[in-house]
Amino acid sequence: MKLLRYFLFLFILCLGSVAFGQSSSELKRRKEALTREIESLNRSLNQTSSSKNLSLKQIRALNAQIRLREEKISTINSEVRLLDNQISDNTNVVRSLQAQLDKLKKEYAGMVLFAFRNQSSYSKLMFIFASQNFNQAYKRLKYLQQFSEYRKKQAMYIEGTSKDLNIKIEQLDRNKQEKSNLLSDQEKERRTLGVQKNSKSKVLTGLSREEKKLKQELSQKQRESATLNRAIANAINREIEEARKRAEAEARAAAAKAKAENKEAPDAKPISRGSSILAATPESAKLSSDFLGSRGSLPWPVTNGIIIEDFGNHTYGRNVTTENNGVDIKTAPGSAVRAVFSGEVAAVQNFAGSYAVLIRHGEYFTVYSNLRTVSVSRGQKVTLKQNIGTVITDAVDGTTEIHFEVRKGAEPMNPAGWLAN
């Protein structure tokens, strides 16, 4: 039973170490990814700030960098909490192993003392020959043999427990050192975050002083956004109208066929005038269901990128606000754009030198704008991760950003909840 408890104890220790290793590795990978994204934004900020011209892109990059650094600090906090739990577990294990080792040593010392007192062959023989009968003599002989074997096992237990104890003590020391390093890293990140927030405050002050210029820049962006939204709405309404007409034509055809065959016409179902008509056919309904089922796991429209502006309303300065119906993703110059799900190209629009692509996935749509080139056309079927074009690079500040949206019918949805983390 002692041997069974010993191996069960080791098994539980191994399971705990494996679980800790998996969680720790995931946090480290996330922290490294955040560090790479922050460094990329640093290069971008250095590029935009060197022009000495304050712009929305600069403050957006600062906002994204602050958000990423806060997320990195949160990740470090998670690592510290995980290490605290591991340190606590390992401390308990060390105490348990130490107590077990002390007990084993005490038992072994008692056996050694007994063996020393009865070490002569004469004493062993007298112990056996003093038996009252043969059966008792046999049991005493077996007892001496088992006692010798048990003493050897106890020595093995002591040796094994000592090794486990040393391993756990070393692991505990590593945990404490790692925690110390993480706390230093955390303090460094907090100081840097403070510097970045001060930098943002200065930029915002500069933006406030140049509010007139900023509003002009914003007005241009809003005009571009409004043009894109109208084009998207028109394309989606066209898809809805075409689907409605097809449904009405199919209903008339079914009624005419029933009349020609002197059969009772099938019950006419009301035809929706909303976006649900886009999922009226079994094929479209399945595509809609599959797209919805992929929420949270869709691939990004570019292989490498950082969200530079989130979905929703944003305020810059005191009186300047913007609304984003999707997310803006900073990526590398010349990056290929890919479809995040299989579907059909509903529209390709040209906006004064850049393109936007609208892909239908049943009742859902994805939008990819700020493209330099496009390799698909309206009505074309596309597959998951198929390249549909390349991102354009701003000729003034050298930034490369793609605008991406997810819509249910014409209603914008937050793409961050759809894309894989």
Side-chain angles (χ1 to χ4, degrees):
M1 286 300 294
K2 284 187 177 180
L3 185 62
L4 179 61
R5 286 197 297 270
Y6 176 73
F7 283 115
L8 182 61
F9 181 67
L10 287 180
F11 179 70
I12 293 171
L13 285 182
C14 291
L15 282 181
S17 298
V18 170
F20 170 77
Q22 289 175 339
S23 301
S24 179
S25 297
E26 290 169 3
L27 288 172
K28 285 178 180 176
R29 281 195 298 270
R30 180 57 186 153
K31 186 173 67 176
E32 289 168 0
L34 288 169
T35 301
R36 288 193 298 271
E37 291 178 3
I38 290 169
E39 289 173 352
S40 175
L41 280 174
N42 264 333
R43 291 191 294 270
S44 176
L45 273 169
N46 291 336
Q47 185 178 14
T48 55
S49 61
S50 63
S51 66
K52 305 300 180 183
N53 293 323
L54 297 175
S55 67
L56 281 177
K57 287 186 177 179
Q58 187 178 353
I59 193 64
R60 286 166 63 204
L62 273 169
N63 282 337
Q65 193 175 50
I66 288 170
R67 173 177 54 81
L68 289 172
R69 200 167 295 278
E70 286 174 341
E71 188 177 345
K72 184 177 179 181
I73 290 172
S74 176
T75 302
I76 292 174
N77 286 337
S78 297
E79 282 190 282
V80 171
R81 285 195 298 271
L82 191 65
L83 276 171
D84 280 337
N85 292 336
Q86 185 67 8
I87 288 170
S88 176
D89 291 343
N90 282 340
T91 300
N92 291 334
V93 169
V94 166
R95 289 172 180 167
S96 177
L97 285 172
Q98 187 66 60
Q100 185 178 350
L101 184 60
D102 292 342
K103 183 179 179 182
L104 287 170
K105 285 181 176 179
K106 185 176 180 181
E107 291 178 356
Y108 189 75
M111 286 188 290
V112 169
L113 181 60
F114 177 82
F116 176 76
R117 290 173 178 172
N118 302 276
Q119 61 182 339
S120 68
S121 300
Y122 179 77
S123 297
K124 293 178 181 178
L125 288 174
M126 288 299 296
F127 177 66
I128 295 171
F129 289 139
S131 304
Q132 296 179 356
N133 51 52
F134 178 79
N135 188 42
Q136 190 180 62
Y138 176 76
K139 287 182 178 180
R140 289 187 176 187
L141 178 62
K142 294 298 292 181
Y143 168 76
L144 290 174
Q145 291 174 347
Q146 289 173 356
F147 180 80
S148 176
E149 291 174 1
Y150 183 70
R151 190 176 62 179
K152 291 177 182 178
K153 286 182 181 179
Q154 284 292 96
M156 289 173 56
Y157 294 159
I158 291 172
E159 183 180 0
T161 304
S162 297
K163 288 181 180 178
D164 293 336
L165 180 60
N166 290 332
I167 290 171
K168 279 298 170 184
I169 290 174
E170 290 174 3
Q171 187 176 353
L172 184 59
D173 290 339
R174 287 196 302 270
N175 290 155
K176 290 179 179 178
Q177 182 60 48
E178 189 176 354
K179 179 182 176 181
S180 176
N181 294 338
L182 281 173
L183 290 174
S184 298
D185 192 16
Q186 183 187 63
E187 183 58 29
K188 178 183 175 183
E189 292 296 331
R190 289 189 188 279
R191 289 196 300 268
T192 307
L193 180 62
V195 171
Q196 288 176 342
K197 286 185 175 180
N198 288 335
S199 177
K200 176 186 173 182
S201 179
K202 291 178 182 178
V203 173
L204 285 173
T205 302
L207 288 175
S208 297
R209 288 197 300 264
E210 299 185 16
E211 197 166 286
K212 183 177 179 180
K213 175 187 172 184
L214 182 60
K215 284 185 175 181
Q216 290 175 350
E217 182 183 347
L218 179 61
S219 295
Q220 175 63 26
K221 182 179 179 182
Q222 287 174 333
R223 285 194 295 272
E224 293 172 358
S225 178
T227 303
L228 175 64
N229 286 333
R230 282 195 301 272
I232 292 171
N234 291 337
I236 292 174
N237 288 335
R238 184 180 62 239
E239 291 289 315
I240 292 173
E241 184 62 19
E242 289 178 357
R244 185 186 64 79
K245 288 180 178 179
R246 282 194 299 271
E248 289 177 345
E250 289 172 0
R252 287 195 298 270
K257 182 179 179 182
K259 184 177 180 181
E261 295 176 352
N262 293 323
K263 294 180 180 179
E264 185 178 350
D267 293 336
K269 296 180 180 179
I271 295 174
S272 172
R273 293 189 175 272
S275 64
S276 59
I277 189 66
L278 297 171
T281 66
E283 181 185 2
S284 295
K286 184 178 186 307
L287 194 57
S288 293
S289 176
D290 291 346
F291 186 83
L292 180 61
S294 298
R295 182 168 189 153
S297 61
L298 292 177
W300 282 46
V302 286
T303 54
N304 291 293
I306 306 166
I307 293 179
I308 208 78
E309 186 175 82
D310 294 315
F311 178 86
N313 293 318
H314 304 275
T315 301
Y316 302 99
R318 288 174 298 183
N319 304 311
V320 180
T321 60
T322 64
E323 182 179 7
N324 195 343
N325 287 328
V327 291
D328 295 322
I329 302 172
K330 178 187 174 298
T331 187
S335 293
V337 181
R338 56 189 188 173
V340 300
F341 203 76
S342 57
E344 181 179 321
V345 178
V348 176
Q349 299 284 341
N350 188 333
F351 298 102
S354 68
Y355 293 91
V357 176
L358 178 70
I359 300 179
R360 177 185 163 190
H361 316 278
E363 191 180 357
Y364 294 89
F365 293 87
T366 51
V367 181
Y368 315 75
S369 67
N370 212 29
L371 275 59
R372 179 174 62 85
T373 62
V374 172
S375 56
V376 292
S377 56
R378 182 171 184 258
Q380 180 179 338
K381 300 282 187 181
V382 293
T383 56
L384 175 67
K385 294 186 180 180
Q386 178 180 329
N387 285 352
I388 61 173
T390 56
V391 189
I392 197 169
T393 298
D394 192 305
V396 177
D397 56 27
T399 57
T400 307
E401 296 177 12
I402 177 175
H403 178 74
F404 175 71
E405 296 183 15
V406 175
R407 298 191 177 216
K408 183 178 182 181
E411 179 188 358
M413 310 185 80
N414 188 352
W418 291 80
L419 298 174
N421 294 325

